[in-house]
Amino acid sequence: EKRTVTQIEKNGYPDSVYINAAKIFQGIHTEKDKDTMQVRYADHSESPMMAFKDEHSRRVAYELAFSALKYQDLLEQILLDSSAYPCYSIPDELTSLLVVMLYDLQDRKFEERKIFDEEELVAEVQEVEHYLDRYIIKLAAALARCRIKHDALSVEYFVPETIWKQEQRASALPVCVWINTFKISLEDVIKDLEMKGFTKVESVSDFDHYTFAVDQHCHDVLVFPSSLREELLNLDLFADCKLLLQ
């Protein structure tokens, strides 16, 4: 029976992903001068404990956290301009969750989140979601005003230039994956990929679309074109942790 990774689309995430993303964001968010700080976060110095359902859930939690980090200034401005912050019913311990969930809310165009049948609900996520729902019209209006003010066609305008340039470079890099040799051999991986329509080539200079190469220095590493990143993560080889994204 073919296993698949958790499918997470633009209609929201399971509660556990929001919780883990908030814990990650809490540790990486930009600390601002106390005299100018308007949005306050909890002061946690210890590393948070996180439990991920699978590799895909771990990846999207980190992606969500770093997306919120990229737009931290914009998200905080939206909270302030909409009067959704300060929110006395939401303690500082949940500010990171508030920012992370606001990023996702605007990313799905303020549409209602899909509830996954098998997911376990988390009280803090439900609390923050209901709070944001009460302000949803004001939040959307605040984002629209900000975009009009800066003549921005999309929120990508608000990404700092240094980060934007880094992302442009990163998006062009080949995708590297490790072979989990405790579960599968190089030969069996190649056979599996070729059965799925991939073609093995000698080097990255020979890349077409559905191609891959064995790293010349590490024979337990495969390299794929950057355009295949999302498709690769939906293969059962990743769901079974036989391949691991570098």
Side-chain angles (χ1 to χ4, degrees), residues 27-67:
I28 63 174
H29 74 274
T30 302
E31 295 280 358
K32 299 181 179 178
D33 188 275
K34 291 186 177 181
D35 295 332
T36 59
M37 183 190 301
Q38 292 180 283
V39 176
R40 300 188 176 278
Y41 298 85
D43 183 18
H44 292 312
S45 55
E46 70 277 6
S47 299
M49 296 295 292
M50 288 177 283
F52 299 104
K53 181 179 178 181
D54 52 35
E55 173 65 18
H56 189 63
S57 296
R58 184 191 70 82
R59 182 177 66 87
V60 295
Y62 274 94
E63 286 183 354
L64 181 56
F66 277 91
S67 293

Side-chain angles (χ1 to χ4, degrees), residues 12-229:
Y13 300 83
D15 285 18
S16 60
V17 170
Y18 290 116
I19 284 293
N20 284 328
K23 290 177 180 178
I24 297 165
F25 180 78
Q26 174 62 36
I28 63 174
H29 74 274
T30 302
E31 295 280 358
K32 299 181 179 178
D33 188 275
K34 291 186 177 181
D35 295 332
T36 59
M37 183 190 301
Q38 292 180 283
V39 176
R40 300 188 176 278
Y41 298 85
D43 183 18
H44 292 312
S45 55
E46 70 277 6
S47 299
M49 296 295 292
M50 288 177 283
F52 299 104
K53 181 179 178 181
D54 52 35
E55 173 65 18
H56 189 63
S57 296
R58 184 191 70 82
R59 182 177 66 87
V60 295
Y62 274 94
E63 286 183 354
L64 181 56
F66 277 91
S67 293
L69 177 64
K70 285 194 301 183
Y71 296 101
Q72 180 179 335
D73 288 343
L74 173 64
L75 296 169
E76 290 179 353
Q77 195 60 52
I78 293 172
L79 287 171
L80 293 166
D81 289 352
S82 65
S83 299
Y85 192 92
C87 41
Y88 302 105
S89 62
I90 304 294
D92 290 351
E93 287 73 18
L94 295 182
T95 300
S96 288
L97 181 60
L98 183 70
V99 172
V100 162
M101 293 188 71
L102 174 58
Y103 170 80
D104 177 58
L105 181 61
Q106 67 78 33
D107 192 43
R108 61 178 195 268
K109 312 301 182 188
F110 296 94
E111 295 290 334
E112 184 178 356
R113 175 171 72 114
K114 175 184 176 182
I115 300 297
F116 295 77
D117 293 336
E118 73 281 2
E119 79 167 285
E120 182 178 343
L121 301 182
V122 179
E124 292 85 351
V125 173
Q126 298 296 308
E127 179 185 359
V128 170
E129 183 169 47
H130 292 153
Y131 182 82
L132 289 172
D133 284 346
R134 285 165 46 196
Y135 283 89
I136 195 165
I137 294 176
K138 292 182 178 180
L139 291 166
L143 174 58
R145 287 194 299 271
C146 194
R147 287 177 55 184
I148 292 170
K149 178 181 177 181
H150 295 278
D151 194 23
L153 294 176
S154 68
V155 295
E156 281 75 19
Y157 171 89
F158 299 97
V159 176
E161 184 178 2
T162 53
I163 295 178
W164 181 82
K165 288 181 178 179
Q166 289 171 359
E167 288 187 336
Q168 290 297 106
R169 288 196 296 269
S171 65
L173 293 174
V175 177
C176 295
V177 302
W178 289 95
I179 299 171
N180 184 351
T181 53
F182 290 105
K183 290 193 171 187
I184 195 169
S185 66
L186 169 63
E187 292 74 18
D188 287 340
V189 169
I190 292 175
K191 187 184 301 182
D192 190 299
L193 289 170
E194 289 179 340
M195 288 177 62
K196 290 179 168 64
F198 289 83
T199 301
K200 179 177 175 292
V201 296
E202 291 303 313
S203 70
V204 296
S205 60
D206 301 317
F207 275 171
D208 195 351
H209 188 48
Y210 287 101
T211 52
F212 69 95
V214 178
D215 187 275
Q216 296 178 1
H217 304 288
C218 300
H219 291 168
D220 56 352
V221 173
L222 300 181
V223 188
F224 295 83
S226 59
S227 59
L228 291 177
R229 178 182 295 270

